[in-house]
Amino acid sequence: QGHGRPVPTNARDEPHTMITTSIRGHLASQIFGRAYGWSRCPPVTLFDAPISTEYSEDMQPLERMLRDQAKRASALILWLDCDRE
């Protein structure tokens, strides 16, 4: 759950509330359909292939929380992990 605290000013010298939260691991997985599995198509076709996003059951509460926070935000800053994947 995100926690907010009032912050007196921002870059525009306007009052605002900053909320920080965190997630663990990868929130979502992007996958190609069955027709695009390993060795089922030429790799170049993947550039135009449809991609679906799936959230595992244990990540759905995090997805809902982030969507809810984003609806109320005028700006959103994501600090993504900095690993080399």
Side-chain angles (χ1 to χ4, degrees):
Q1 190 79 9
H3 299 284
R5 66 179 176 87
V7 178
T9 60
N10 60 15
R12 295 182 209 136
D13 202 26
E14 300 168 348
H16 65 283
T17 298
M18 182 178 293
I19 297 172
T20 58
T21 189
S22 63
I23 63 168
R24 58 177 174 74
H26 292 262
L27 177 65
S29 298
Q30 285 75 34
I31 60 170
F32 295 106
R34 290 183 182 260
Y36 299 97
W38 288 107
S39 302
R40 291 189 183 151
C41 65
V44 71
T45 62
L46 297 175
F47 287 105
D48 295 316
I51 298 174
S52 63
T53 301
E54 295 183 353
Y55 299 89
S56 62
E57 191 173 324
D58 66 327
M59 291 295 196
Q60 290 175 0
L62 293 170
E63 175 202 6
R64 284 190 298 273
M65 184 269 300
L66 289 172
R67 286 183 185 274
D68 182 56
Q69 293 296 330
K71 287 177 189 174
R72 296 185 271 147
S74 59
L76 179 64
I77 300 169
L78 300 174
W79 182 330
L80 306 176
D81 61 0
C82 298
D83 58 14
R84 294 182 174 203
E85 13 178 346

